[in-house]
Amino acid sequence: MTSVIYKWYGLETPKTRPWKRYALLYTAIFMVVGIVALTMNLHSIQSNQLTPTYFILFGFVLLISILGLMIATIGCDSCVVRVFGNFDFTI
């Protein structure tokens, strides 16, 4: 279906590369572990310094990283390319 949409609008199909899945996976794992470790250490901060903004930001970053983790583990290659981006590094 997506290839039909890309052909219809005259776009090029995203290039699938094997390193993109691993980069998305490792980035998402790092973000999940970092946010969980940060929230576990929040008890050292005084309670009057914690505003709801912190919790909204932590929740948003945690949800985005869990979404990236799910897409990296069970998503198709084109889904990974759509999430990670359409840029390509040549080494």
Side-chain angles (χ1 to χ4, degrees):
M1 179 67 179
T2 57
S3 62
V4 173
I5 293 173
Y6 280 110
K7 288 179 185 176
W8 180 265
Y9 288 108
L11 302 172
E12 62 181 43
T13 55
K15 298 177 182 177
T16 58
R17 300 281 188 239
W19 62 268
K20 291 183 180 183
R21 180 177 300 274
Y22 296 116
L24 181 62
L25 181 68
Y26 293 141
T27 304
I29 288 173
F30 178 73
M31 288 175 62
V32 168
V33 170
I35 289 296
V36 170
L38 189 61
T39 55
M40 289 177 67
N41 291 324
L42 281 179
H43 61 81
S44 63
I45 301 174
Q46 294 178 355
S47 62
N48 60 356
Q49 292 177 343
L50 294 176
T51 60
T53 308
Y54 287 114
F55 296 109
I56 291 170
L57 182 65
F58 290 158
F60 179 71
V61 171
L62 186 64
L63 287 176
I64 292 297
S65 58
I66 288 174
L67 178 68
L69 189 62
M70 289 173 44
I71 290 174
T73 54
I74 60 175
C76 60
D77 288 337
S78 60
C79 297
V80 172
V81 171
R82 275 187 232 121
V83 169
F84 195 77
N86 197 13
F87 57 91
D88 189 21
F89 295 118
T90 56
I91 297 174

